[in-house]
Amino acid sequence: MKKIFSLPAEIYQSRKMIYKLAKNDFKTKFAGSYLGIIWAFIQPVVTVMVYWFVFTVGFRGGSESLPVPFVLYLVAGIVPWFFFQEALNGGTNALIEYNYLVKKVVFNISVLPVVKMISALFVHMAFVCFVIVLYCLYGYFPDLYYLQIIYYSGALLLMTLGLCYATSAVVVFFRDLTQVINILLQVGVWLTPIMWIAEEMLADHQKLHLILKLNPVYYIVSGYRDAFIYKNWFWEHPLWTVYFWCFTVITFLFGSWIFRRLRVHFADVL
């Protein structure tokens, strides 16, 4: 347990190096391309526009009861999902991508998943600003509830980091885990839910709705929508909040334990 709890201390002690590596990781993704880091935003924006067209122009259903236009409901939920998706994929493959650092005896490899989290956070912060501007264009201006975005972003980062400590360690020995995670993310975007209104469509299926709410990312997505749309504070859902943090703490402890147990073999396998 002492070794597990030493991980946060290692992260804090290496915070300057983590920031430098994260900034470099963010820049090198788009090195050599004409548009540079703009590519980090093009694909998500195109994805949002396609979903908006399909669900508001194509199907024209399920959004009449919303207090805001459907595109605002959509972006409020999909922006945290983009961060979760990018951070989980990046963090899972961090040891493989930086295998040359893993083989260095003096390098603290426990910071590598954190580097991927911070790199994904750069894009996420830009997208949050994009969402705020979009809401302003529709006449919905920032208020105190928007401060909760900091809380929900931090909560999502910690939960994802716990997952990545486990997945980044396991994927070194089981490379197929990357494909498994991609499939789970494809399914998860629909089960969270992001593209449809669970409260309305599952009004007659409360048990199913409760099962979907066990997904901790659902808590984050709902939190973003509470901040942007419904104007609820996170402490107004005490049981749900306690459940999320219990899940996050257990995930972080378990992920740290897996990472510590397997790290001695990383250099040999890679």
Side-chain angles (χ1 to χ4, degrees), residues 59-213:
F59 290 157
R60 292 181 178 274
S63 60
E64 293 80 4
S65 62
L66 291 175
V68 297
F70 182 77
V71 65
L72 298 184
Y73 178 84
L74 175 62
V75 295
I78 206 168
V79 164
W81 179 264
F82 282 150
F83 172 58
F84 175 68
Q85 180 177 263
E86 175 69 17
L88 183 59
N89 277 324
T92 297
N93 295 292
L95 300 182
I96 297 175
E97 182 176 342
Y98 288 100
N99 61 80
Y100 58 92
L101 293 177
V102 176
K103 296 174 184 178
K104 290 186 176 181
V105 178
V106 296
F107 187 80
N108 183 9
I109 61 174
S110 62
V111 306
L112 293 178
V114 187
V115 168
K116 287 296 185 179
M117 298 295 108
I118 304 302
S119 179
L121 189 61
F122 291 151
V123 179
H124 179 65
M125 290 189 296
F127 261 101
V128 169
C129 294
F130 165 76
V131 172
I132 293 174
V133 171
L134 186 62
Y135 269 72
C136 290
L137 292 175
Y138 274 87
Y140 301 92
F141 298 98
D143 52 29
L144 287 177
Y145 290 97
Y146 278 39
L147 294 176
Q148 292 186 106
I149 300 302
I150 300 173
Y151 161 75
Y152 285 113
S153 296
L156 182 57
L157 187 149
L158 289 175
M159 185 200 72
T160 310
L161 180 58
L163 289 173
C164 285
Y165 271 126
T167 58
S168 63
V170 173
V171 79
V172 172
F173 306 92
F174 180 62
R175 299 297 176 94
D176 291 351
L177 181 61
T178 300
Q179 306 305 322
V180 172
I181 289 175
N182 287 334
I183 293 173
L184 291 177
L185 288 172
Q186 289 178 1
V187 175
V189 73
W190 294 99
L191 295 182
T192 299
I194 292 172
M195 260 72 73
W196 51 285
I197 309 167
E199 292 79 6
E200 180 179 310
M201 301 182 71
L202 297 179
D204 298 327
H205 304 278
Q206 292 301 317
K207 290 185 178 179
L208 179 58
H209 190 197
L210 180 61
I211 292 173
L212 290 181
K213 290 176 74 173

Side-chain angles (χ1 to χ4, degrees), residues 13-56:
Q13 292 170 0
S14 306
R15 60 191 183 280
K16 291 183 179 179
M17 180 180 64
I18 289 173
Y19 177 75
K20 290 180 180 178
L21 286 173
K23 187 166 65 172
N24 183 67
D25 179 89
F26 179 70
K27 290 180 178 179
T28 54
K29 285 181 183 177
F30 313 100
S33 60
Y34 288 109
L35 296 181
I37 63 173
I38 295 177
W39 285 113
F41 311 103
I42 291 178
Q43 182 178 353
V45 168
V46 171
T47 302
V48 169
M49 296 306 296
V50 170
Y51 285 147
W52 169 79
F53 178 82
V54 169
F55 287 98
T56 60

